[in-house]
Amino acid sequence: MQTKALAPEYQGALTKMSVNASLTDVLAEGVRHLKQAELSGSQEEVARTGLAVAEAHRRLGQVEEADRAWKASYRAARSAGATGAMAWALWSGGTLARQRGSLRLAFRLLGLAAELGKRGGDVVARGYSLAGLAETGRIQGDYETVATLHEQLLAEARARGEARHTVWALEGIAQIHRNTGQLDSALEMFEEAAVLAGEADDRRGRAWALRGIADIVSLRDGETERALGLLAEAEVTCREMKLSSALAYNHKMRANVLFRAGRYEEAREVYEQALGEFRAMTEPRGEALAALGLVKARARLGRDRAATAADLDELRGRLSRIGLLNAREMVEKAYVELGVERVAEREGDDGRGEGPMEGTELAPAHRRTAEPAVEPAHPHDTASDAPHEEARAR
């Protein structure tokens, strides 16, 4: 029996906030209650309410504010000795790191969060942290490592009746299937996720599922208008809930659909729109993927072959440095698709990018050397050291 979707990241005085609340409303309420918590002197309440503030900033694309907020939440939780609240703060920080393109930091913080969730007996914090590790590996393209963890988390979410996490896991597995060519099973999972999200009143989860369905029906069946209709429906939710990152990814998918239909001028315009949106929120993965689409659209519209090759070279190096293996493979395919050759090999680029950090739950067992520290010695030192991830801002 699946429950209605809940938002466990809205804690303290914000526990009754709806998962479908506008992020601007969440932020306003979070800031109001955070001030009250600071006046009360309860450091645990400061940590709990500060978490919602951090998450609202992150999902609105306000990355500097989100970075300050999760660290403040962590410091308050640590001073209160609230292990569970520390885990949630690190989860938020790890999710932000993934969104900003710092995958190694994301693996580290999420691994620490999972460990603290376990030690503090916070099953939900641990589950969200493991899901974060799985999603980080998936968006990186390391499907072999994270597929089993996705399946495990799906089984656990179904067993506990956690609708929102079930939807997340279904969508994650569907994306793996889609990226490995298993389009039929991917579509089935996206459709199941859409139905379940609708029944659980999880509007954000449904918007992402509709985006996945649109991708498959466009790619597999060439159903352009149906795909555009699904994306239009999802866009309404993104705008109403102020889901900045989800809206940008929706626009990028719209451009993909138009490109597949041979509507290159329309695709170019929408890729440019999405690119601007990703740059505004400093999200390098989305920016690079939108830039790739824009390069391809411009090439189809007659852009000089040498300029196209140079653009692809730059993207290839950028994606390798971030560690996005699947996206890098997309660039390799673009060389062939557009009939251009690489201008030059990038110095120091071995094609592997970043892998899961040693000591995290995604590192192969034979490579683990030691358990991660319980907490970073100085939370300020855990800030992203790389430029700002579908990742997806969930």
Side-chain angles (χ1 to χ4, degrees):
M1 182 73 178
Q2 297 293 325
T3 62
K4 290 293 183 181
L6 301 174
E9 67 272 32
Y10 301 159
Q11 300 178 10
L14 284 86
T15 53
K16 293 184 179 180
M17 291 286 302
S18 168
V19 69
N20 296 320
S22 164
L23 291 175
T24 53
D25 290 343
V26 174
L27 181 57
E29 282 297 289
V31 169
R32 183 170 71 87
H33 285 291
L34 178 58
K35 290 179 180 177
Q36 293 176 354
E38 289 170 343
L39 290 173
S40 75
S42 171
Q43 288 300 295
E44 182 167 0
E45 185 65 13
V46 168
R48 299 287 185 184
T49 54
L51 175 67
V53 172
E55 282 301 288
H57 278 309
R58 180 181 70 79
R59 290 165 176 164
L60 287 166
Q62 300 164 358
V63 296
E64 296 303 324
E65 294 88 341
D67 193 52
R68 289 193 293 269
W70 84 257
K71 290 172 182 173
S73 174
Y74 177 86
R75 289 195 300 270
R78 185 176 62 177
S79 68
T83 305
M86 291 165 65
W88 277 108
L90 289 171
W91 165 78
S92 181
T95 306
L96 176 65
R98 181 179 66 233
Q99 184 172 314
R100 299 175 77 176
S102 186
L103 300 188
R104 290 180 70 82
L105 179 61
F107 278 122
R108 171 168 170 73
L109 294 180
L110 290 166
L112 290 168
E115 177 64 20
L116 280 176
K118 180 180 179 180
R119 295 188 185 187
D122 192 322
V123 175
V124 179
R126 177 171 172 77
Y128 266 59
S129 301
L130 290 175
L133 287 168
E135 186 161 328
T136 304
R138 175 172 56 76
I139 67 111
Q140 183 186 41
D142 190 7
Y143 305 135
E144 183 178 353
T145 302
V146 300
T148 300
L149 182 53
H150 272 79
E151 295 283 358
Q152 171 192 329
L153 293 169
L154 174 60
E156 292 177 0
R158 287 193 192 277
R160 289 198 294 264
E162 294 176 354
R164 188 179 176 209
H165 232 172
T166 301
V167 168
W168 167 85
L170 281 168
E171 291 172 353
I173 297 168
Q175 194 64 48
I176 292 175
H177 284 207
R178 181 258 186 255
N179 289 350
T180 54
Q182 303 171 68
L183 300 184
D184 292 346
S185 59
L187 181 58
E188 290 176 3
M189 290 184 180
F190 278 129
E191 289 176 335
E192 181 183 352
V195 170
L196 180 56
E199 293 174 346
D201 195 24
D202 177 5
R203 298 184 65 200
R204 182 188 297 129
R206 179 170 169 78
W208 281 106
L210 292 178
R211 178 182 177 275
I213 295 170
D215 183 26
I216 303 298
V217 299
S218 164
L219 180 64
R220 188 190 69 174
D221 306 325
E223 295 185 10
T224 302
E225 294 309 316
R226 182 187 173 198
L228 292 175
L230 291 165
L231 291 169
E233 180 183 345
E235 181 168 346
V236 172
T237 295
C238 293
R239 291 191 180 279
E240 289 180 350
M241 294 182 62
K242 305 297 190 295
L243 303 175
S244 303
S245 183
L247 181 61
Y249 277 104
N250 180 292
H251 289 158
K252 186 189 75 67
M253 183 56 69
R254 176 177 291 276
N256 288 355
V257 170
L258 292 168
F259 182 90
R260 291 167 189 159
R263 295 158 61 173
Y264 301 126
E265 181 58 35
E266 292 175 82
R268 179 190 64 77
E269 292 176 0
V270 184
Y271 278 130
E272 288 178 343
Q273 177 186 3
L275 183 60
E277 291 168 337
F278 285 122
R279 283 176 174 167
M281 67 184 74
T282 322
E283 187 162 339
R285 176 176 178 266
E287 181 181 340
L289 293 175
L292 174 58
L294 183 57
V295 168
K296 293 170 65 175
R298 286 174 173 170
R300 294 302 187 194
L301 291 169
R303 182 169 169 79
D304 178 77
R305 290 165 62 85
T308 297
D311 289 341
L312 291 177
D313 268 20
E314 190 278 329
L315 277 171
R316 179 176 180 271
R318 194 193 319 175
L319 289 165
S320 293
R321 288 190 293 275
I322 296 174
L324 298 172
L325 310 183
N326 180 64
R328 184 181 183 279
E329 290 173 4
M330 291 168 62
V331 176
E332 299 288 358
K333 292 177 180 177
Y335 285 108
V336 177
E337 178 184 343
L338 301 176
V340 299
E341 295 182 359
R342 281 203 301 271
V343 176
E345 293 290 338
R346 297 280 173 175
E347 182 178 355
D349 176 15
D350 63 4
R352 292 193 299 269
E354 297 179 347
M357 290 285 290
E358 296 287 353
T360 72
E361 306 217 11
L362 289 188
H366 68 276
R367 291 175 53 200
R368 295 183 191 168
T369 56
E371 289 298 313
V374 175
E375 61 185 66
H378 303 285
H380 279 293
D381 296 338
T382 63
S384 171
D385 55 5
H388 185 316
E389 210 273 137
E390 169 199 15
R392 111 187 213 200
R394 294 294 297 278

